[in-house]
Amino acid sequence: MDPISIHVNGRSVTRASEPRTHLADFLRDELRLTGTHLGCEHGVCGACTVLVDGQPTRSCITFAVACDGREVTTIEGYDDDAAMRLLRQAFTRHHALQCGFCTPGMLATSRDIVLRLPDADEARVRLELSGNLCRCTGYQGIVDAILDVLQQQRDAPDAQFERLRQRLSAPRTAAVKRPDATVPAEPPAPSPGKAAASDAAGIADMAEVDPVAMAKAKAKGNAIEVHFDVPHPIDRVWAFMGDLPAVASCLPGATIDSHEGEKVKGTIAIKFGPMSAAFAGAARLERDDAARRAVLRGAGQDSLSKSRTQGDITYRLEALSADSTRVHVDMIYALQGPLAQFSRSGLVKDFVRRMVADFGHQISRRLSGQAGPIDGAPPTVSMAGMMWSVLWNRIRSWFGAKPRS
């Protein structure tokens, strides 16, 4: 074990730490800062959220050694923090806590919201809080407390609070490190032209799916196997499945921004209750004409929630008859960020199965010469509508009725 030095709540501490030790365990076991709570230990519930160099961080999935030389602030370290002072008062005033287990992480996230988003409305606050789970309050008191602090700053700005906000928005030239550490300065901001080129390159890089992440996703059960039948010859279906813009036009919520060879860039929009997301990214198609098999590898990111997704979609065609083809679809997916909480429910797989069934129906329509979604505005994938359909089919199956496809 090598010693690491971390600046925690204003004081420097040095301890020996195993490389596998997570920051939450280091804080609780080594420093006895037990205000950092452990809930899911998978980075989903947000109870363990602390600040690392001023940014909310899941301490249960962050290695302590990765924080060597950095600034860490836990719930015990906000005594002189103007933003936290107002938040604590507002949380009390609006009854925003009950059992208190989620409160340390909720306050850390709330502090980030009030400092970073001075004009946030209720919808934006709820979106920003989506990565912090609470099983007691129903969130209304928490949302009201955050909105209260934001309104206070609009009506009567607190000077110390505003200095914190300016410090957060100021460009950082270097990370906080030990005196003996060598830290490269942050590169200067690119010009608008270069920024656009950089953004385009970033989206292109998203098509390169991380194989390690995919292996972990498969081990966690984030894999789905489904199929659908198309009443058309296998050669015609195979040719159609190689036309990426045409295929995208059959997927609800998908739009194509650019297409070059086997690569495509675009957006998929989804809606889950009051939450909306638009994953912009890129994908690359690898086809095996002899085996009638292809793999679509892609990744994308939602600009609002910063949630990131990546996955492999493998499809294989099987001729059922001269005029009928079965499309087998194997999907492995990984989701990171605030929206990752929705990937842990079994309903998500039902949603995907329903989406694939709708996708197959649209392909059949297009091959039959009927107009597809490409002729109108691309619809948004409504998780709420799919949930009702899934639940209704389950209820029907309980009473022996045949589920609708």
Side-chain angles (χ1 to χ4, degrees), residues 88-358:
R88 282 169 168 160
Q89 295 170 357
F91 265 57
T92 300
R93 190 160 53 250
H94 292 278
H95 309 288
L97 66 162
Q98 289 187 26
C99 80
F101 192 84
C102 74
T103 305
M106 197 70 76
L107 281 170
T109 300
S110 299
R111 179 184 183 274
D112 175 67
I113 294 172
V114 298
L115 291 175
R116 182 168 51 86
L117 302 169
D119 299 319
D121 58 9
E122 180 173 347
R124 183 61 186 271
V125 168
R126 288 186 176 275
L127 176 62
E128 295 289 330
L129 283 175
S130 61
N132 290 70
L133 306 185
C134 175
R135 301 185 67 177
C136 302
T137 67
Y139 301 95
Q140 188 60 55
I142 299 172
V143 173
D144 289 343
I146 295 173
L147 293 174
D148 186 350
V149 172
L150 288 170
Q151 191 61 48
Q152 287 182 58
Q153 282 305 111
R154 297 187 192 109
D155 296 340
D158 180 276
Q160 291 182 332
F161 188 105
E162 288 302 319
R163 281 196 291 271
L164 285 175
R165 184 173 279 172
Q166 292 169 7
R167 188 185 309 166
L168 184 67
S169 61
R172 296 172 58 202
T173 57
V176 178
K177 298 292 286 183
R178 299 192 314 272
D180 61 332
T182 300
V183 186
E186 188 172 292
S191 63
K194 291 182 178 179
S198 176
D199 291 342
I203 292 178
D205 290 343
M206 288 181 182
E208 303 302 324
V209 174
D210 181 4
V212 176
M214 288 296 94
K216 290 181 179 179
K218 187 173 184 179
K220 290 179 180 179
N222 292 358
I224 303 172
E225 296 182 12
V226 290
H227 69 265
F228 59 87
D229 296 340
V230 181
H232 293 278
I234 189 171
D235 289 339
R236 191 177 179 198
V237 176
W238 178 248
F240 180 86
M241 295 291 282
D243 185 346
L244 287 177
V247 170
S249 73
C250 296
L251 184 63
T255 58
I256 295 295
D257 298 326
S258 65
H259 173 228
E260 182 180 351
E262 300 301 311
K263 295 183 179 180
V264 65
K265 299 176 185 177
T267 303
I268 295 182
I270 63 171
K271 183 175 177 61
F272 196 100
M275 296 179 59
S276 299
F279 287 91
R284 183 180 69 254
L285 184 66
E286 302 171 0
R287 285 165 57 90
D288 182 345
D289 291 319
R292 297 288 198 277
R293 181 181 181 276
V295 181
L296 184 66
R297 307 184 191 277
Q301 178 172 300
D302 175 41
S303 60
L304 190 59
S305 69
K306 301 304 180 185
S307 296
R308 180 180 172 86
T309 184
Q310 56 182 318
D312 289 349
I313 302 176
T314 302
Y315 62 87
R316 175 177 56 84
L317 272 57
E318 175 190 1
L320 299 180
S321 67
D323 296 313
S324 180
T325 304
R326 173 161 293 176
V327 181
H328 299 269
V329 181
D330 298 335
M331 180 186 300
I332 303 174
Y333 63 92
L335 185 61
Q336 300 169 315
L339 297 180
Q341 56 186 294
F342 298 113
S343 71
R344 304 176 66 82
S345 168
L347 284 174
V348 171
K349 293 187 177 182
D350 288 329
F351 294 153
V352 173
R353 291 188 183 98
R354 180 59 184 267
M355 285 182 64
V356 171
D358 290 346

